[in-house]
Amino acid sequence: MAKPASSRCNLSCRYCFYLEKQRQPVMDDATLEQFIRQHIEAQPGEEVQFAWQGGEPTLCGLDFFRRAAALQRRYADGKRIHNAFQTNGVLLNEAWCQFFHDNGWLVGISLDGPADLHDACRVSRSGNATHHKVLRAIGMLRACRVEFNLLVVVNSHNGESPRRMYRYLRELGTAHIQFIPLMELDDQRRPDDLSVSAATWGRFLREVFDLWVREDIGRIFIQLFDSTLGVWSGYAPQMCSLSKTCGHAFALEANGDLYQCDHYVYPQHLLGNIHCETLGEMNLSARAVTFGEYKSTSLAPACRRCEMLRLCHGDCPKHRDESGKSALCAGYLDFFTHSAPYMKAMRDLIRLRRSPAELMAMLR
């Protein structure tokens, strides 16, 4: 996850965990070139995925990413390059959207629901509403035929309106939605006021799932639902937060500093700098391996005994409360238990080489 603008952002979201502690300059061209060359060289296969995030990466300017695309072509060495770009959408215009279209970039755009729910947390630096600007950006992405998905932070406010949220989001022109639970713990490992509670998270997932499983299988793709069905079908979870181990989903700061994870951008989790060591070397370091294994080795005893462990593997370690379990545990358990009969039915349809969408007709 490259953060070329570091923590710089043009919004002041109430729940942002990545507070701007220092104003680093945006990534310079020497660091950009080092990153692109090293990242391509470090990939063992023929596919290379770049992920651009922030802060807000559009603050680097469009010319920065034109240079990035040119460098990718220079160093590709026959490999296929893919780019994902996460943005709040406020600065997008036709030039940005044309660039995304011409280069085949996937855009993840942050939107937390209808205007009243979104604007309760996502505001500009001056405190103004931003929902209308996000909708304008989505309209331009659609007009330029840019592939995009919606990144939705579920918090204590919008989490109380699951059906309204889902019905609104699915009409915005993308088949792909990611629901991201807000969970920020204080020094006593207790959730803050904006974090979604386990009960609300479970109810949110359950009610959205009940709509999706009856109306939208094969039409709308929700990351958590896809991941859960994949596990029921014998695959590993798609999401790093639900994987057996952590690690190797690094966060690169604008100055070339590499951290273990986007949620662990702290001095004790600094792996090094790409001007001193390569990404490949840091990826194979003992520190990176130990960090990745900690998620599994530190599991609470109750998690090890849980029949749903293979679906979540204890959730992200950043979410663990004073008990050692995820503060969202009860919510995930609620969803996994509720969805299990439907997941098994879809799994069985797939094994018969039939579409899981047939389940909708069965339920009717």
Side-chain angles (χ1 to χ4, degrees), residues 185-190 321-322:
L185 303 176
D186 62 21
D187 293 339
Q188 286 73 47
R189 309 303 297 168
R190 293 175 301 197
D321 59 21
E322 68 278 0

Side-chain angles (χ1 to χ4, degrees), residues 181-292:
L182 177 65
M183 179 48 60
E184 287 298 311
L185 303 176
D186 62 21
D187 293 339
Q188 286 73 47
R189 309 303 297 168
R190 293 175 301 197
D192 65 17
D193 291 341
L194 278 175
S195 293
V196 62
S197 70
T200 300
W201 179 234
R203 184 170 61 254
F204 182 92
L205 293 176
R206 194 175 65 243
E207 294 193 17
V208 170
F209 181 82
D210 283 347
L211 285 175
W212 175 83
V213 82
R214 288 168 173 81
E215 301 175 9
D216 292 322
I217 300 174
R219 188 177 81 88
I220 301 294
F221 299 89
I222 297 174
Q223 186 186 41
L224 177 57
F225 299 172
D226 289 346
S227 178
T228 304
L229 179 57
V231 175
W232 278 106
S233 301
Y235 299 97
Q238 297 178 8
M239 303 162 60
C240 69
S241 60
L242 306 184
S243 298
K244 186 174 182 179
T245 59
C246 293
H248 314 295
F250 302 130
L252 182 75
E253 288 291 321
N255 64 355
D257 283 347
L258 190 73
Y259 290 85
Q260 297 275 14
C261 170
D262 183 39
H263 292 280
Y264 287 88
V265 183
Y266 305 117
Q268 63 268 35
H269 297 293
L270 175 65
L271 280 171
N273 188 287
I274 61 172
H275 291 289
C276 303
E277 300 174 81
T278 68
L279 288 170
E281 290 168 340
M282 288 185 277
N283 180 53
L284 297 174
S285 68
R287 289 185 64 198
V289 172
T290 300
F291 177 86

